[in-house]
Amino acid sequence: VSSPVRAFKSVGGNPVVFDRVKGAYAWDVDGNKYIDYVGTWGPAILGHADDDVLDAVKATMEKGTSFGAPCPLENELAKMVIDAVPSVEMVRFTNSGTEACMGMIRLVRAFTDREKVIKFEGCYHGHADSFLVQAGSGVATLGLPDSPGVPASATKATLCAEYNNLDSVKAIFEDNKEDGIAAVILEPVVGNSGFIKPDKEFLEGLRKITEENGALLVFDEVMTGFRVAYGGAQQYFGITPDVTTMGKVIGGGLPVGAYGGRKDIMEMVAPAGPMYQAGTLSGNPLAMTAGIETMKKLKVDGVYEELERKAKKLIDGITAAAEKHGHAITADCAGGMFGWYFVEGPVKNFQEATKADAEKFGKWHRMMLERGVYLAPSMYEAGFMSMSHTDEDIEKTIAVADEVLSQL
């Protein structure tokens, strides 16, 4: 595999090898059809292989796949991102969410002239050395507390707090008054420890404590951006950070990432300022085109209400089936993103997520897969609803879940 969570190690069995995808469905190389709730890990919000996106990409491809020079498409997508995301006044495109987070952490340190950053247990911000500390997602799935090959010096300025626990953040600020904190970085909805929503008071508290201490607040919206609302989790919760990282949806299924924020902060980035970051394929015309066409469709009124209605219908149906058959379960959703745990809820942080029944999840995953429902092969990953999923798809999924839960 090219990314470890795809290996099915935590759920058992062999990974499914895909041949093609369309709409809400995926077909494996043996011709089996699945209702897909992974959606290429988030980007396929319209559904897979949207005809309008494909047509636009084909037309752009005739002009070339990469220029290594400025092109109007970058400006067009940048304007759309700036218009949509409350915190973003300037934006820099990259080729992945990891790359966006690498640029972001260098930027917050350059702007504040401080080294230390606070992250949260179970939040994943890509596989850069400085972030592979209690990082959730694939790291948790494979039982790796960190990763070998990451030098101690790379993580000594990364301090970990507990999600939804403001006191744990205040304590770190208190302990580091002398040299200060550059930034507090978080997933505003955690999708890499399953699915964990923040308390509104927690986000408000982070906004206040960062302002009081001259630190920046960073929302890693690689997963939540244009997924829980058009303006991301910051619009959904009404809390504006200083810097935002993005990816997934804004590339419309092609490799992309971005980081943006207040103009005075972003002007630190070269060529406007002294902080260096670059990329050969950054802003390439194919990814920009796919992003533009995707965002045009997401801007239509009612899209996110409909995504959340469908996500809620799915989790409510599965929760009811689980309770009917005597299983502990807790579930939640935001926009087109959802998740559940086999444990009495609520789950507010990574430590509580680890108490979920991993063995039950593995069996559940295999039995759902055998019946044509493709879920993320890890209890530490969120699920994704698309505009292409129908009520019939959801009802079929709930019926399959009912059957599986009666046998678990």
Side-chain angles (χ1 to χ4, degrees), residues 32-49:
N32 298 304
K33 181 183 178 184
Y34 304 89
I35 302 173
D36 176 24
Y37 293 103
V38 179
T40 184
W41 302 97
I45 193 165
L46 305 181
H48 291 293

Side-chain angles (χ1 to χ4, degrees), residues 119-125 133-137 140 160-163 187 190-194 196 349-351 353 380:
K119 72 174 289 291
F120 294 87
E121 295 166 24
C123 283
Y124 179 71
H125 306 293
V133 185
Q134 299 177 33
S137 192
C160 276
E162 185 178 77
Y163 201 81
E187 290 182 79
V190 185
N192 286 287
S193 299
I196 303 172
N349 57 55
F350 181 61
Q351 287 308 314
Y380 294 121

Side-chain angles (χ1 to χ4, degrees), residues 341-355:
Y341 301 93
F342 290 117
V343 70
E344 291 294 343
V347 170
K348 291 290 188 181
N349 57 55
F350 181 61
Q351 287 308 314
E352 291 175 4
T354 62
K355 292 172 185 164

Side-chain angles (χ1 to χ4, degrees), residues 366-407:
R366 286 192 297 279
M367 291 169 77
M368 292 294 283
L369 190 68
E370 285 161 7
R371 290 160 178 78
V373 177
Y374 190 78
L375 302 170
S378 165
M379 70 176 192
Y380 294 121
E381 294 285 356
F384 301 102
M385 188 62 68
S386 80
M387 288 166 67
S388 295
H389 285 90
T390 64
D391 280 295
E392 191 184 1
D393 291 328
I394 293 162
E395 284 151 19
K396 184 179 176 185
T397 303
I398 293 166
V400 169
D402 185 53
E403 182 195 334
V404 168
L405 290 160
S406 73
Q407 296 173 29

Side-chain angles (χ1 to χ4, degrees), residues 143-338:
L144 305 173
D146 285 307
S147 174
V150 176
S153 58
T155 56
K156 76 176 195 303
T158 306
L159 310 172
C160 276
E162 185 178 77
Y163 201 81
N164 273 323
N165 179 350
L166 206 54
D167 288 339
S168 72
V169 181
K170 288 176 181 172
I172 294 173
F173 270 100
E174 196 61 38
D175 291 344
N176 291 275
K177 276 195 160 164
E178 198 173 316
D179 39 7
I181 300 290
V184 175
I185 301 160
L186 72 153
E187 290 182 79
V189 175
V190 185
N192 286 287
S193 299
F195 180 91
I196 303 172
K197 261 186 177 172
D199 298 325
K200 180 83 182 284
E201 298 74 28
F202 174 64
L203 294 183
E204 288 169 344
L206 292 179
R207 181 64 284 180
K208 186 166 181 279
I209 197 170
T210 48
E211 285 173 351
E212 287 170 354
N213 288 275
L216 300 179
L217 180 61
V218 181
F219 280 6
D220 180 350
E221 296 231 41
V222 168
M223 197 176 280
T224 54
F226 303 96
R227 167 55 74 179
V228 303
Y230 189 66
Q234 53 199 269
Q235 180 192 330
Y236 190 90
F237 293 108
I239 305 287
T240 305
D242 301 299
V243 178
T244 301
T245 57
M246 294 159 280
K248 296 190 187 284
V249 168
I250 61 163
L254 287 173
V256 81
Y259 60 102
R262 287 195 340 240
K263 191 176 181 188
D264 61 317
I265 300 170
M266 290 302 294
E267 282 178 336
M268 288 290 293
V269 181
M275 189 221 93
Y276 189 75
Q277 179 268 316
T280 300
L281 293 168
S282 297
N284 75 79
L286 298 187
M288 298 297 101
T289 297
I292 290 162
E293 294 304 315
T294 298
M295 285 177 62
K296 280 179 188 171
K297 294 194 168 196
L298 294 177
K299 201 174 179 182
V300 176
D301 283 348
V303 164
Y304 289 92
E305 290 79 4
E306 178 64 2
L307 283 167
E308 187 157 319
R309 180 193 71 80
K310 291 192 288 190
K312 190 169 188 321
K313 179 174 180 172
L314 178 68
I315 64 166
D316 285 352
I318 286 174
T319 300
E323 287 170 349
K324 181 173 89 175
H325 297 296
H327 299 286
I329 193 169
T330 182
D332 207 347
C333 66
M337 189 174 163
F338 61 85

